[in-house]
Amino acid sequence: MKALYFDYAATTPVDPRVAEAMAACLTMDGNFGNPASRSHRYGWQAEQAVESARRQLADLLNADPREIVWTSGATESNNLALKGVVEHLRDAEQVQGPLHIITSAIEHKAVLDPCKWLEKHQNVEVTLLTPDADGLIDPQQVKDALRDNTCLVSLMAVNNELGTITDIAAVSALLNDHPALLHVDAAQAVGKIPVDVKAWDVDLMSVSAHKFYGPKGIGALFVRREPQVKLAAQIHGGGHERGMRSGTLATHQLVGLGEAARIVAEEQATDEARIRALRNKLWQGLEAIGDVYLNGHAVHGSANHLNVSFAGVDGEILLASLAKVAVSSGSACNSATVAPSYVLKAIGRSDDLAHAGLRFSLGRFTSEDDIDAAIAEVSRVVTALRG
């Protein structure tokens, strides 16, 4: 039995159509030039390819291509958004007093860690909103946490562990009469749910190509132009990307991102319906094992995510015993100790259930045979461990 891949939320395989487009940008007989080389055809062709990719991603997000800033991925985009907003206020606007950021206790570490850094180094106070038992953040929580000095609200559109979907448009509406900017980590959203920066009315949004069948190491930050959002650059050295992010652009990666965005725009609705049916079948099969708990909301969630906890088994042994099923553990390794998932703890799971939580994530290449095989293997392992 070959290993079954159920970790699409961690990364997706590059779609063969994307890989083909990328390969054409690598060698001497392809489009290998530096997009910043303006003095010859090789550079012009590379720049044209990069700008075509910018348009493809912008079209997917309902954005202006000039609002797309290339980065190395969502982690860099999150850092640029969070630190860039605060440092611009400190340096350009000469704001001296404490600033305030609102985020949630179940954000990705790529948001929580920059927030900790800003607390330590930039006199920023951070409010961590607590989700309900289903992993949802109520927009009213944001309104209740707002202060006069709140400069930024940062919430993920789709939670990376639970798959729960935040009502971003409702959060944005609550900020209409407040100067705070709204940043959305959409790494888990793009390619899984419809994403529309105009309908959501966001100021900043992070995107990662390898979450929607593009290559690793490339992503983007949406930066609203009207009204213009101003950021302090975090990487200097040439003033690329309208001064917000310097560095030679990787033509092949950006072409891959653009092609991946194009495919999502054409196929997402069909993919989502098929994947949701597979996810529901997987949940029914796992639930039948007994003493299995769904982590996250049964309705307000991504079709791609299924997070469950198995009572009566040791989490580490469970994960080690599922060598034939590639899933993500609800536990996070920290030095020599293994701590339960902070996301599962935040929604009220006990240490035992948080340790025994597994994230199954499905994708474009998941088949019905994969679902049947996963149900059989997990049932066999859990029954054996309980027995």
Side-chain angles (χ1 to χ4, degrees):
M1 174 182 171
K2 71 171 185 177
L4 302 167
Y5 190 71
F6 280 90
D7 207 12
Y8 279 82
T11 194
T12 59
V14 172
D15 188 288
R17 293 165 288 183
V18 172
E20 183 179 1
M22 293 176 64
C25 299
L26 292 172
T27 59
M28 185 68 189
D29 58 351
N31 191 1
F32 69 91
N34 185 333
S37 297
R38 303 287 172 79
S39 60
H40 51 69
R41 179 179 298 177
Y42 295 99
W44 302 335
Q45 290 174 336
E47 182 184 29
Q48 184 179 31
V50 164
E51 294 311 309
S52 176
R54 201 186 304 269
R55 165 65 70 180
Q56 288 169 315
L57 180 60
D59 287 347
L60 178 63
L61 305 180
N62 194 23
D64 184 316
R66 295 171 295 177
E67 295 175 314
I68 303 298
V69 176
W70 297 129
T71 68
S72 63
T75 295
E76 184 189 337
S77 295
N78 290 341
N79 275 264
L80 176 56
L82 294 162
K83 296 177 182 177
V85 165
V86 170
E87 291 181 14
H88 172 78
L89 290 173
R90 293 290 189 218
D91 298 338
E93 304 295 335
Q94 297 296 301
V95 176
Q96 302 298 325
L99 292 168
H100 179 232
I101 290 177
I102 298 171
T103 186
S104 87
I106 57 172
E107 297 300 304
H108 193 280
K109 290 293 187 181
V111 165
L112 294 177
D113 285 353
C115 283
K116 290 179 181 178
W117 187 91
L118 289 168
E119 281 185 301
K120 183 176 181 180
H121 298 284
Q122 288 283 2
N123 191 19
V124 172
E125 299 165 343
V126 178
T127 294
L128 297 179
L129 304 178
T130 301
D132 66 14
D134 293 321
L136 294 176
I137 299 294
D138 189 331
Q140 185 63 37
Q141 292 177 267
V142 176
K143 185 175 183 180
D144 293 343
L146 282 172
R147 305 177 190 171
D148 291 341
N149 65 336
T150 304
C151 65
L152 186 68
V153 175
S154 179
L155 293 172
M156 64 201 328
V158 174
N159 184 267
N160 58 300
E161 287 196 32
L162 305 174
T164 49
I165 299 173
T166 304
D167 190 344
I168 297 297
V171 173
S172 178
L174 293 175
L175 298 177
N176 283 341
D177 298 322
H178 195 285
L181 299 174
L182 176 59
H183 166 251
V184 174
D185 179 350
Q188 292 288 341
V190 177
K192 298 178 178 67
I193 65 172
V195 175
D196 187 325
V197 295
K198 288 189 173 67
W200 289 2
D201 196 21
V202 302
D203 299 293
L204 298 154
M205 191 170 74
S206 302
V207 175
S208 183
H210 78 98
K211 302 295 187 181
F212 57 98
Y213 312 97
K216 297 174 182 64
I218 199 72
L221 179 67
F222 162 82
V223 183
R224 186 210 285 267
R225 283 178 62 86
E226 294 181 8
Q228 185 176 5
V229 174
K230 296 182 179 180
L231 302 173
Q234 301 300 298
I235 297 177
H236 305 90
H240 305 78
E241 295 301 285
R242 294 177 297 286
M244 283 181 272
R245 201 275 191 179
S246 295
T248 299
L249 295 177
T251 307
H252 64 296
Q253 287 179 299
L254 291 169
V255 166
L257 184 156
E259 177 67 2
R262 183 195 66 78
I263 294 169
V264 166
E266 293 183 359
E267 301 179 4
Q268 178 175 293
T270 302
D271 274 355
E272 184 176 1
R274 187 186 68 85
I275 292 168
R276 187 173 295 280
L278 292 176
R279 174 198 178 276
N280 291 343
K281 181 178 181 179
L282 178 60
W283 167 234
Q284 290 167 5
L286 297 181
E287 187 181 26
I289 298 171
D291 285 330
V292 181
Y293 298 85
L294 177 67
N295 299 317
H297 199 282
V299 177
H300 300 295
S302 151
N304 303 68
H305 294 73
L306 178 64
N307 193 310
V308 295
S309 289
F310 298 86
V313 297
D314 181 278
E316 292 178 64
I317 297 176
L318 172 62
L319 188 65
S321 301
L322 286 172
K324 297 178 181 178
V325 184
V327 295
S328 174
S329 172
S331 301
C333 294
N334 184 9
S335 300
T337 64
V338 178
S341 161
Y342 67 90
V343 173
L344 297 187
K345 289 293 292 178
I347 65 171
R349 289 300 186 205
S350 66
D351 281 355
D352 286 344
L353 284 178
H355 269 298
L358 295 179
R359 180 189 69 186
F360 297 80
S361 47
L362 293 67
R364 183 175 292 165
F365 305 109
T366 305
S367 70
E368 193 156 353
D369 287 344
D370 292 336
I371 300 297
D372 292 335
I375 293 171
E377 181 65 7
V378 175
S379 299
R380 182 189 69 79
V381 168
V382 171
T383 301
L385 291 178
R386 286 176 175 169

